[in-house]
Amino acid sequence: MQTAGFDRIDVQILHALHIDGRVPFARIAQVIDVSDQTVARRYSRLRSSNALRVWGLVDRTRLGHVEWLVRIRCTPDSAQAIARSLARRDDTSWISRTSGGTELVCVTSAATPGESLLLRELPKTARVLDVSAHCLLHIYSGRASGIVTKLNALTPEQVAQLRPADPPATDPGQPVELDDLDRQLLGLLRDDGRAATAQLAAQTGASRSTVQRRIAELRAAGALYFHVDARWPLLGLGMRTLLWLSVKPAHLERVGLALTAHPEVAFVAATSGSSNLHASLATRDIPALYTYLSTQISTLRGVRSVDSAPVLQTFKGAAGLHGPATDT
């Protein structure tokens, strides 16, 4: 397929990396029927132009942390300053300015539900008019998956060839405990999710086999996942919109799962609060957003109300990182 900025091979490589962020270039080349050099050269070009980054990120919920989606209403003259201040914090991610420019939305996490410093400090800020926090209860789609996988650049057969083997079963209710090597690896992979095993071994002082085994264990436990960040406008997706839906409890899971199948939905999660379902959309433009809301959302049984907010600016992206999807 051809998009506004990436050509067919670029999007196939992006799709492959969404399936497995550390898949060897040779494997991608074999599956999409191009040379190893072509894949390596395309990836290098996209990364050097900041059109693409692969990050190894921590799912903090697997460490026993609680994540919050926070909506902050502030005075018109203060939004930029507050957003930049939030962006400097280590406990924030996905900071966006929405609506008329007076609302900020971000994700924050804390080791316990009541521990978040952000939630305690924000009300003290004079220019903050209102704060609402929604606990992320269950993520239906997002995290390791991405909107690129819905562009269908690869066939189901190609996806199957690239998908990593199913990891051994782990107890999802038991928090993952990290040791010093884990923390070192996670820090290095956060900077570059595709860092070579030999490089990681040299930087941590561990053997290559130990590094490979520990990365596999962290992935199997759900503590480590790989996020592929790309410039959405180059994919023909120039508009990002946040949705808050109020759904009847009996329909919550059905609606959440239905949203995951929509090509426009990049992320969807159940939350606490009267608006109990949150979604992030990527559409071509405003008319495409209208079409989606009027023909897709309107048909979902059990949805009582919908609040939509176009994203005007993104100050910080996944796991607190600045990358292709951010505007500043």
PDB file of all heavy atoms in Angstrom, residues 122-143:
ATOM      1  N   LEU A 122      -1.102  18.937  41.652  1.00  0.00           N
ATOM      2  CA  LEU A 122      -1.810  19.728  40.655  1.00  0.00           C
ATOM      3  C   LEU A 122      -2.837  20.697  41.238  1.00  0.00           C
ATOM      4  O   LEU A 122      -2.903  21.850  40.815  1.00  0.00           O
ATOM      5  CB  LEU A 122      -2.479  18.813  39.635  1.00  0.00           C
ATOM      6  CG  LEU A 122      -1.624  18.412  38.431  1.00  0.00           C
ATOM      7  CD1 LEU A 122      -2.370  17.427  37.570  1.00  0.00           C
ATOM      8  CD2 LEU A 122      -1.213  19.627  37.622  1.00  0.00           C
ATOM      9  N   PRO A 123      -3.676  20.270  42.195  1.00  0.00           N
ATOM     10  CA  PRO A 123      -4.675  21.211  42.717  1.00  0.00           C
ATOM     11  C   PRO A 123      -4.075  22.455  43.344  1.00  0.00           C
ATOM     12  O   PRO A 123      -4.748  23.468  43.501  1.00  0.00           O
ATOM     13  CB  PRO A 123      -5.422  20.366  43.759  1.00  0.00           C
ATOM     14  CG  PRO A 123      -5.237  18.962  43.291  1.00  0.00           C
ATOM     15  CD  PRO A 123      -3.847  18.932  42.742  1.00  0.00           C
ATOM     16  N   LYS A 124      -2.790  22.429  43.719  1.00  0.00           N
ATOM     17  CA  LYS A 124      -2.138  23.580  44.340  1.00  0.00           C
ATOM     18  C   LYS A 124      -1.717  24.621  43.320  1.00  0.00           C
ATOM     19  O   LYS A 124      -1.339  25.730  43.674  1.00  0.00           O
ATOM     20  CB  LYS A 124      -0.910  23.113  45.132  1.00  0.00           C
ATOM     21  CG  LYS A 124      -1.223  22.116  46.240  1.00  0.00           C
ATOM     22  CD  LYS A 124       0.049  21.626  46.901  1.00  0.00           C
ATOM     23  CE  LYS A 124      -0.242  20.549  47.940  1.00  0.00           C
ATOM     24  NZ  LYS A 124       1.011  20.029  48.547  1.00  0.00           N
ATOM     25  N   THR A 125      -1.756  24.262  42.039  1.00  0.00           N
ATOM     26  CA  THR A 125      -1.350  25.181  40.988  1.00  0.00           C
ATOM     27  C   THR A 125      -2.478  26.167  40.717  1.00  0.00           C
ATOM     28  O   THR A 125      -3.584  25.782  40.350  1.00  0.00           O
ATOM     29  CB  THR A 125      -1.006  24.403  39.705  1.00  0.00           C
ATOM     30  OG1 THR A 125      -0.024  23.414  40.015  1.00  0.00           O
ATOM     31  CG2 THR A 125      -0.457  25.332  38.639  1.00  0.00           C
ATOM     32  N   ALA A 126      -2.185  27.458  40.866  1.00  0.00           N
ATOM     33  CA  ALA A 126      -3.230  28.484  40.811  1.00  0.00           C
ATOM     34  C   ALA A 126      -3.989  28.508  39.493  1.00  0.00           C
ATOM     35  O   ALA A 126      -5.189  28.775  39.471  1.00  0.00           O
ATOM     36  CB  ALA A 126      -2.602  29.847  41.087  1.00  0.00           C
ATOM     37  N   ARG A 127      -3.311  28.226  38.388  1.00  0.00           N
ATOM     38  CA  ARG A 127      -3.958  28.331  37.084  1.00  0.00           C
ATOM     39  C   ARG A 127      -4.668  27.049  36.659  1.00  0.00           C
ATOM     40  O   ARG A 127      -5.215  26.980  35.564  1.00  0.00           O
ATOM     41  CB  ARG A 127      -2.928  28.741  36.035  1.00  0.00           C
ATOM     42  CG  ARG A 127      -2.361  30.133  36.288  1.00  0.00           C
ATOM     43  CD  ARG A 127      -1.379  30.545  35.219  1.00  0.00           C
ATOM     44  NE  ARG A 127      -0.799  31.842  35.491  1.00  0.00           N
ATOM     45  CZ  ARG A 127      -1.344  33.009  35.146  1.00  0.00           C
ATOM     46  NH1 ARG A 127      -2.496  33.016  34.515  1.00  0.00           N
ATOM     47  NH2 ARG A 127      -0.747  34.140  35.421  1.00  0.00           N
ATOM     48  N   VAL A 128      -4.651  26.032  37.513  1.00  0.00           N
ATOM     49  CA  VAL A 128      -5.408  24.808  37.246  1.00  0.00           C
ATOM     50  C   VAL A 128      -6.814  24.979  37.798  1.00  0.00           C
ATOM     51  O   VAL A 128      -7.006  25.203  38.991  1.00  0.00           O
ATOM     52  CB  VAL A 128      -4.725  23.586  37.877  1.00  0.00           C
ATOM     53  CG1 VAL A 128      -5.633  22.365  37.792  1.00  0.00           C
ATOM     54  CG2 VAL A 128      -3.396  23.302  37.184  1.00  0.00           C
ATOM     55  N   LEU A 129      -7.803  24.892  36.922  1.00  0.00           N
ATOM     56  CA  LEU A 129      -9.189  25.128  37.319  1.00  0.00           C
ATOM     57  C   LEU A 129      -9.886  23.858  37.787  1.00  0.00           C
ATOM     58  O   LEU A 129     -10.766  23.907  38.653  1.00  0.00           O
ATOM     59  CB  LEU A 129      -9.965  25.733  36.141  1.00  0.00           C
ATOM     60  CG  LEU A 129      -9.375  27.026  35.548  1.00  0.00           C
ATOM     61  CD1 LEU A 129     -10.210  27.468  34.347  1.00  0.00           C
ATOM     62  CD2 LEU A 129      -9.313  28.114  36.611  1.00  0.00           C
ATOM     63  N   ASP A 130      -9.510  22.724  37.193  1.00  0.00           N
ATOM     64  CA  ASP A 130     -10.201  21.485  37.541  1.00  0.00           C
ATOM     65  C   ASP A 130      -9.326  20.299  37.141  1.00  0.00           C
ATOM     66  O   ASP A 130      -8.622  20.361  36.132  1.00  0.00           O
ATOM     67  CB  ASP A 130     -11.545  21.405  36.797  1.00  0.00           C
ATOM     68  CG  ASP A 130     -12.323  20.155  37.156  1.00  0.00           C
ATOM     69  OD1 ASP A 130     -12.645  19.980  38.340  1.00  0.00           O
ATOM     70  OD2 ASP A 130     -12.575  19.346  36.246  1.00  0.00           O
ATOM     71  N   VAL A 131      -9.374  19.230  37.950  1.00  0.00           N
ATOM     72  CA  VAL A 131      -8.628  18.006  37.672  1.00  0.00           C
ATOM     73  C   VAL A 131      -9.554  16.814  37.847  1.00  0.00           C
ATOM     74  O   VAL A 131     -10.260  16.719  38.859  1.00  0.00           O
ATOM     75  CB  VAL A 131      -7.409  17.843  38.609  1.00  0.00           C
ATOM     76  CG1 VAL A 131      -6.688  16.527  38.313  1.00  0.00           C
ATOM     77  CG2 VAL A 131      -6.452  19.012  38.464  1.00  0.00           C
ATOM     78  N   SER A 132      -9.575  15.923  36.859  1.00  0.00           N
ATOM     79  CA  SER A 132     -10.297  14.660  37.032  1.00  0.00           C
ATOM     80  C   SER A 132      -9.349  13.523  36.684  1.00  0.00           C
ATOM     81  O   SER A 132      -8.617  13.604  35.692  1.00  0.00           O
ATOM     82  CB  SER A 132     -11.547  14.609  36.148  1.00  0.00           C
ATOM     83  OG  SER A 132     -11.208  14.691  34.784  1.00  0.00           O
ATOM     84  N   ALA A 133      -9.338  12.500  37.529  1.00  0.00           N
ATOM     85  CA  ALA A 133      -8.418  11.375  37.333  1.00  0.00           C
ATOM     86  C   ALA A 133      -9.224  10.096  37.150  1.00  0.00           C
ATOM     87  O   ALA A 133     -10.152   9.819  37.912  1.00  0.00           O
ATOM     88  CB  ALA A 133      -7.481  11.249  38.526  1.00  0.00           C
ATOM     89  N   HIS A 134      -8.855   9.317  36.140  1.00  0.00           N
ATOM     90  CA  HIS A 134      -9.542   8.070  35.818  1.00  0.00           C
ATOM     91  C   HIS A 134      -8.530   6.930  35.873  1.00  0.00           C
ATOM     92  O   HIS A 134      -7.561   6.919  35.115  1.00  0.00           O
ATOM     93  CB  HIS A 134     -10.162   8.152  34.414  1.00  0.00           C
ATOM     94  CG  HIS A 134     -11.029   9.359  34.213  1.00  0.00           C
ATOM     95  ND1 HIS A 134     -12.401   9.323  34.315  1.00  0.00           N
ATOM     96  CD2 HIS A 134     -10.710  10.654  33.928  1.00  0.00           C
ATOM     97  CE1 HIS A 134     -12.894  10.531  34.102  1.00  0.00           C
ATOM     98  NE2 HIS A 134     -11.883  11.348  33.865  1.00  0.00           N
ATOM     99  N   CYS A 135      -8.750   5.996  36.756  1.00  0.00           N
ATOM    100  CA  CYS A 135      -7.839   4.856  36.885  1.00  0.00           C
ATOM    101  C   CYS A 135      -8.006   3.939  35.675  1.00  0.00           C
ATOM    102  O   CYS A 135      -9.133   3.597  35.281  1.00  0.00           O
ATOM    103  CB  CYS A 135      -8.148   4.096  38.166  1.00  0.00           C
ATOM    104  SG  CYS A 135      -7.066   2.690  38.467  1.00  0.00           S
ATOM    105  N   LEU A 136      -6.874   3.552  35.054  1.00  0.00           N
ATOM    106  CA  LEU A 136      -6.932   2.606  33.933  1.00  0.00           C
ATOM    107  C   LEU A 136      -7.153   1.206  34.500  1.00  0.00           C
ATOM    108  O   LEU A 136      -6.272   0.643  35.144  1.00  0.00           O
ATOM    109  CB  LEU A 136      -5.641   2.659  33.125  1.00  0.00           C
ATOM    110  CG  LEU A 136      -5.390   3.943  32.316  1.00  0.00           C
ATOM    111  CD1 LEU A 136      -4.061   3.866  31.592  1.00  0.00           C
ATOM    112  CD2 LEU A 136      -6.514   4.197  31.320  1.00  0.00           C
ATOM    113  N   LEU A 137      -8.333   0.666  34.255  1.00  0.00           N
ATOM    114  CA  LEU A 137      -8.715  -0.619  34.833  1.00  0.00           C
ATOM    115  C   LEU A 137      -8.317  -1.803  33.954  1.00  0.00           C
ATOM    116  O   LEU A 137      -7.919  -2.857  34.458  1.00  0.00           O
ATOM    117  CB  LEU A 137     -10.233  -0.647  35.063  1.00  0.00           C
ATOM    118  CG  LEU A 137     -10.805   0.473  35.936  1.00  0.00           C
ATOM    119  CD1 LEU A 137     -12.326   0.342  36.000  1.00  0.00           C
ATOM    120  CD2 LEU A 137     -10.204   0.436  37.334  1.00  0.00           C
ATOM    121  N   HIS A 138      -8.461  -1.631  32.650  1.00  0.00           N
ATOM    122  CA  HIS A 138      -8.158  -2.739  31.727  1.00  0.00           C
ATOM    123  C   HIS A 138      -7.892  -2.183  30.338  1.00  0.00           C
ATOM    124  O   HIS A 138      -8.673  -1.364  29.835  1.00  0.00           O
ATOM    125  CB  HIS A 138      -9.332  -3.724  31.664  1.00  0.00           C
ATOM    126  CG  HIS A 138      -9.094  -4.868  30.725  1.00  0.00           C
ATOM    127  ND1 HIS A 138      -8.257  -5.913  31.027  1.00  0.00           N
ATOM    128  CD2 HIS A 138      -9.584  -5.115  29.471  1.00  0.00           C
ATOM    129  CE1 HIS A 138      -8.238  -6.762  30.011  1.00  0.00           C
ATOM    130  NE2 HIS A 138      -9.029  -6.303  29.058  1.00  0.00           N
ATOM    131  N   ILE A 139      -6.795  -2.589  29.726  1.00  0.00           N
ATOM    132  CA  ILE A 139      -6.452  -2.132  28.385  1.00  0.00           C
ATOM    133  C   ILE A 139      -6.863  -3.198  27.376  1.00  0.00           C
ATOM    134  O   ILE A 139      -6.403  -4.333  27.436  1.00  0.00           O
ATOM    135  CB  ILE A 139      -4.951  -1.829  28.273  1.00  0.00           C
ATOM    136  CG1 ILE A 139      -4.596  -0.652  29.189  1.00  0.00           C
ATOM    137  CG2 ILE A 139      -4.565  -1.505  26.826  1.00  0.00           C
ATOM    138  CD1 ILE A 139      -3.123  -0.357  29.274  1.00  0.00           C
ATOM    139  N   TYR A 140      -7.755  -2.815  26.459  1.00  0.00           N
ATOM    140  CA  TYR A 140      -8.220  -3.745  25.434  1.00  0.00           C
ATOM    141  C   TYR A 140      -7.277  -3.766  24.234  1.00  0.00           C
ATOM    142  O   TYR A 140      -7.057  -4.815  23.621  1.00  0.00           O
ATOM    143  CB  TYR A 140      -9.623  -3.342  24.952  1.00  0.00           C
ATOM    144  CG  TYR A 140     -10.691  -3.452  26.010  1.00  0.00           C
ATOM    145  CD1 TYR A 140     -11.167  -2.312  26.663  1.00  0.00           C
ATOM    146  CD2 TYR A 140     -11.233  -4.688  26.365  1.00  0.00           C
ATOM    147  CE1 TYR A 140     -12.153  -2.402  27.634  1.00  0.00           C
ATOM    148  CE2 TYR A 140     -12.219  -4.788  27.337  1.00  0.00           C
ATOM    149  CZ  TYR A 140     -12.677  -3.642  27.972  1.00  0.00           C
ATOM    150  OH  TYR A 140     -13.643  -3.732  28.937  1.00  0.00           O
ATOM    151  N   SER A 141      -6.750  -2.597  23.877  1.00  0.00           N
ATOM    152  CA  SER A 141      -5.885  -2.513  22.703  1.00  0.00           C
ATOM    153  C   SER A 141      -4.953  -1.325  22.859  1.00  0.00           C
ATOM    154  O   SER A 141      -5.331  -0.286  23.381  1.00  0.00           O
ATOM    155  CB  SER A 141      -6.732  -2.348  21.436  1.00  0.00           C
ATOM    156  OG  SER A 141      -5.912  -2.220  20.295  1.00  0.00           O
ATOM    157  N   GLY A 142      -3.723  -1.488  22.381  1.00  0.00           N
ATOM    158  CA  GLY A 142      -2.729  -0.431  22.499  1.00  0.00           C
ATOM    159  C   GLY A 142      -1.404  -1.048  22.863  1.00  0.00           C
ATOM    160  O   GLY A 142      -1.049  -2.126  22.389  1.00  0.00           O
ATOM    161  N   ARG A 143      -0.657  -0.376  23.740  1.00  0.00           N
ATOM    162  CA  ARG A 143       0.614  -0.911  24.220  1.00  0.00           C
ATOM    163  C   ARG A 143       1.466  -1.432  23.053  1.00  0.00           C
ATOM    164  O   ARG A 143       1.882  -0.669  22.212  1.00  0.00           O
ATOM    165  CB  ARG A 143       0.370  -2.025  25.241  1.00  0.00           C
ATOM    166  CG  ARG A 143      -0.204  -1.533  26.560  1.00  0.00           C
ATOM    167  CD  ARG A 143       0.823  -0.723  27.333  1.00  0.00           C
ATOM    168  NE  ARG A 143       0.392  -0.488  28.694  1.00  0.00           N
ATOM    169  CZ  ARG A 143       0.143   0.710  29.201  1.00  0.00           C
ATOM    170  NH1 ARG A 143       0.291   1.793  28.467  1.00  0.00           N
ATOM    171  NH2 ARG A 143      -0.229   0.844  30.453  1.00  0.00           N
TER     172      ARG A 143
END
